Amino acid sequence: MTTEPLLVVNELSTPSVWPASAVSAPGGDLLVAGVSLLELAERYGTPTYVLDEGEVRSRARAWVRALPEAEIVYAAKAFLCRAVVDWMEQEGLGLDVCSAGELELAATRGFPAERIVLHGNAKSPRDLGTALRLGVGRIVIDADCEIARLAAQVPAHHSQQVMIRVLPGIEAGAHPKIRTGTEGQKFGLSIANGDAEDAVARIVGQSQLELVGLHCHLGSQIVSPEPYERAARELVSFLVRIRDRFGVVLPELDLGGGFAAAYLPGDEAPAPAVYGRRIRRALIGACAEAGLPVPRLTLEPGRSIMAPAGIALYRVLAVKRTGGRVFVAVDGGMSDNPRPALYGARYTVRRVGRASTAPMRAATVVGRHCEAGDVLADGVELPDDIRPGDVLAVPASGAYQVSMASGYNMTGRPPVVAVADGRSRLLVRRETFDDQRRRDVGL
């Protein structure tokens, strides 16, 4: 069977949207890591999420190569399962987690606790207790009240390394709902109003807590290194104030994640080396001007590693032509991908498994749920002979889809399948009605 690189097929988007291993095959099919997407849909059913293991590993390695002197910590909230924990450990990355559940999952795989960072704006007592019990490397303080709460849980004659999440007052990110470095929102402590400095004063007086650095996170889908450069300079200025007031030189700086992934052809998504070079240069320059040693840098990529490696597979249930529009309804929707409904995320879509000479026509791919906002992709080009039973593939689906999936309409969360070297294996099985029924204990 002959195959063609994805790039040369007009119906497909650029390689930055699809995994690098994706090639077109006869009959309109698409192979990823040597595995037919149509065969995956037949074997595992739909909706199904496919992860190209080689793509995940390659992107993780690219971040390590871009900043070999830094610590690269995978943002687990993008998507986490036991296999992903293993991949990150094997590729030398740390884990950035936000809950006791993510911590426990990492622990079940023997992930080194010292390479785990816990943060979140509202950590529960269980979150903090689990982090201390497992011995995580650093806990990020996000609110003033966490200081005493955490210190009270640290065992006698022990100390816990902590960082303070600060707000540098920088607006960055593709949508207001995913901009997290500005004033007046729920994350972090403000540098401008003195809250962050007050938190430093409280922590340096706690023998149970060892303040090792500052943390910030600017937002998501940031397509330029420039906001990170500004953040580095702002945080170095704050490090100077901490040194001058408290006589402490903090050795670490975590600039968070938010690095962009391409969802549509032509989307900007700089390579890790581009971000890394610019961030490192800004940090070194700011420290030289301030007379500070360069702190150890940590970055937390998640989406940029996982999103391009994932493909969502759906089966068409209905096609409706009305009001001059074409609606293509599939067997998934906002229960497995809430991103379009939450903040207008956009995707490209391709039919797989059936060749066609029909002209392409703009269509709206919608989900099966009882919500007018259950739209997966608007204005995408699909063959005019699209019909029930066809399989649709949606690239760039590896991050913030399965991890945010819900039980809406009791449809069951989809399975996740890994592909590598011409073979597939199930990572996460499909959620069944029996799974849901067991949780319902009422009479």
Side-chain angles (χ1 to χ4, degrees):
M1 179 176 66
T2 60
T3 60
E4 300 178 57
L6 194 55
L7 181 63
V8 304
V9 181
N10 293 333
E11 193 178 16
L12 298 176
S13 57
T14 64
S16 61
V17 175
W18 298 86
S21 69
V23 294
S24 62
D29 200 3
L30 187 63
L31 305 183
V32 175
V35 182
S36 158
L37 291 186
L38 181 62
E39 290 179 7
L40 290 174
E42 297 291 346
R43 178 178 177 183
Y44 296 101
T46 53
T48 283
Y49 277 73
V50 180
L51 271 184
D52 183 339
E53 179 182 345
E55 184 83 11
V56 174
R57 290 179 179 273
S58 171
R59 289 178 174 273
R61 286 194 294 268
W63 276 106
V64 173
R65 286 196 305 270
L67 286 158
E69 72 289 342
E71 183 175 8
I72 305 301
V73 177
Y74 170 67
K77 60 185 178 291
F79 173 68
L80 195 68
C81 66
R82 291 186 295 181
V84 170
V85 173
D86 294 345
W87 298 346
M88 295 304 134
E89 195 278 329
Q90 292 160 8
E91 299 300 338
L93 278 69
L95 282 180
D96 156 37
V97 301
C98 298
S99 72
E102 291 175 344
L103 275 170
E104 295 281 12
L105 181 62
T108 65
R109 305 305 293 172
F111 194 91
E114 66 275 11
R115 284 162 51 188
I116 297 178
V117 179
L118 170 70
H119 72 73
N121 70 292
K123 304 176 195 69
S124 70
R126 178 176 171 240
D127 295 334
L128 295 175
T130 303
L132 292 171
R133 173 172 57 84
L134 295 177
V136 301
R138 280 146 295 168
I139 297 176
V140 180
I141 299 292
D142 198 285
D144 183 73
C145 61
E146 284 187 349
I147 299 171
R149 186 181 303 154
L150 177 59
Q153 293 192 52
V154 176
H157 311 299
H158 288 74
S159 67
Q160 171 63 51
Q161 291 190 344
V162 298
M163 308 181 85
I164 297 176
R165 179 167 178 171
V166 301
L167 294 174
I170 295 172
E171 185 170 310
H175 190 280
K177 290 184 179 180
I178 52 176
R179 295 172 189 162
T180 56
T182 58
E183 299 288 334
Q185 40 86 20
K186 72 176 187 175
F187 295 104
L189 294 161
S190 172
I191 295 175
N193 71 6
D195 286 349
E197 196 163 337
D198 290 344
V200 173
R202 290 189 61 191
I203 293 173
V204 296
Q206 296 275 358
S207 61
Q208 299 94 335
L209 305 180
E210 179 189 357
L211 181 61
V212 296
L214 302 178
H215 178 287
C216 78
H217 183 78
L218 302 179
S220 295
Q221 278 297 89
I222 300 172
V223 299
S224 168
E226 191 272 337
Y228 298 99
E229 295 174 308
R230 283 191 285 143
R233 290 190 287 268
E234 288 292 330
L235 267 61
V236 167
S237 295
F238 189 43
L239 287 174
V240 171
R241 285 164 54 186
I242 293 171
R243 178 198 62 187
D244 293 346
R245 178 179 171 184
F246 302 101
V248 175
V249 177
L250 299 182
E252 298 185 24
L253 195 63
D254 188 331
L255 293 182
F259 309 101
Y263 286 89
L264 297 175
D267 277 357
E268 294 182 69
V274 175
Y275 288 112
R277 180 172 59 252
R278 295 268 299 270
I279 292 170
R280 184 69 179 165
R281 184 169 59 199
L283 180 59
I284 291 173
C287 288
E289 291 178 12
L292 280 177
V294 178
R296 179 171 172 80
L297 178 65
T298 298
L299 296 179
E300 301 172 353
R303 179 196 312 271
S304 66
I305 291 174
M306 197 60 62
I311 298 171
L313 298 178
Y314 301 102
R315 197 170 292 277
V316 176
L317 298 180
V319 178
K320 185 180 295 183
R321 292 173 169 84
T322 181
R325 299 180 67 186
V326 179
F327 293 93
V328 178
V330 298
D331 53 1
M334 64 191 302
S335 59
D336 67 87
N337 183 9
R339 295 184 67 251
L342 282 174
Y343 35 77
R346 299 186 63 200
Y347 292 85
T348 189
V349 181
R350 178 200 162 142
R351 184 175 67 185
V352 296
R354 187 161 72 88
S356 173
T357 58
M360 304 296 283
R361 180 173 177 177
T364 299
V365 179
V366 299
R368 60 173 295 173
H369 301 288
C370 301
E371 302 284 345
D374 184 20
V375 175
L376 288 174
D378 192 16
V380 295
E381 294 288 315
L382 289 172
D384 196 37
D385 64 351
I386 193 80
R387 67 192 185 203
D390 282 344
V391 174
L392 300 184
V394 183
S397 293
Y400 300 107
Q401 292 184 209
V402 174
S403 64
M404 296 172 71
S406 73
Y408 190 36
N409 290 156
M410 297 186 73
T411 54
R413 287 171 291 183
V416 180
V417 176
V419 291
D421 302 322
R423 302 179 65 180
S424 68
R425 63 187 176 108
L426 188 64
L427 300 184
V428 180
R429 67 170 174 81
R430 187 181 304 280
E431 186 177 38
T432 66
F433 174 70
D434 282 343
D435 294 327
Q436 298 164 337
R437 178 179 57 80
R438 279 193 289 268
R439 295 184 64 240
D440 188 345
V441 298
L443 298 178

